[in-house]
Amino acid sequence: MGYVLLAGAIAAEVIATTAMKYSDGFSRPGPSLLTALGYVVAFALLARTLKTVSIGTAYAIWAGVGTAAVAALGLVLFGEGLSWTKAAGILLIVAGVVVLNLGGAH
């Protein structure tokens, strides 16, 4: 169940971060409210996750997957460019999460 909550926390954080881009510096009420609500949900779900998943594992997955997802959305939604270095960075983040999990994280 902890990893299901973690997936929800990641989704909420990605939605909140994307909404922040659309908030235009918090000058648009709808996206600004979605940003705040998304982060509240993300942290609440992350806190619940920590009851059953170790903090190092949960945070590594939350931060790594969230970062990679937001970077991918930047490419798709906002036309951000993809350089070799950016692609390598995303792959290294994902690889780091995998290595942490294979290294005996509980």
Side-chain angles (χ1 to χ4, degrees), residues 90-102:
I90 293 169
L91 289 173
L92 286 170
I93 290 167
V94 173
V97 170
V98 170
V99 169
L100 277 172
N101 282 293
L102 292 176

Side-chain angles (χ1 to χ4, degrees), residues 33-103:
L33 181 61
L34 186 57
T35 299
L37 181 61
Y39 281 120
V40 167
V41 170
F43 282 111
L45 291 173
L46 183 60
R48 294 278 316 270
T49 299
L50 296 179
K51 290 182 175 185
T52 58
V53 179
S54 72
I55 190 169
T57 299
Y59 191 75
I61 294 170
W62 183 68
V65 173
T67 299
V70 169
L73 285 173
L75 297 169
V76 174
L77 297 177
F78 306 114
E80 295 177 359
L82 180 64
S83 65
W84 286 107
T85 53
K86 191 173 195 176
I90 293 169
L91 289 173
L92 286 170
I93 290 167
V94 173
V97 170
V98 170
V99 169
L100 277 172
N101 282 293
L102 292 176

Side-chain angles (χ1 to χ4, degrees), residues 15-39:
I15 289 167
T17 302
T18 304
M20 189 186 308
K21 175 72 171 170
Y22 285 111
S23 77
D24 195 28
F26 295 114
S27 65
R28 299 178 61 213
S32 298
L33 181 61
L34 186 57
T35 299
L37 181 61
Y39 281 120

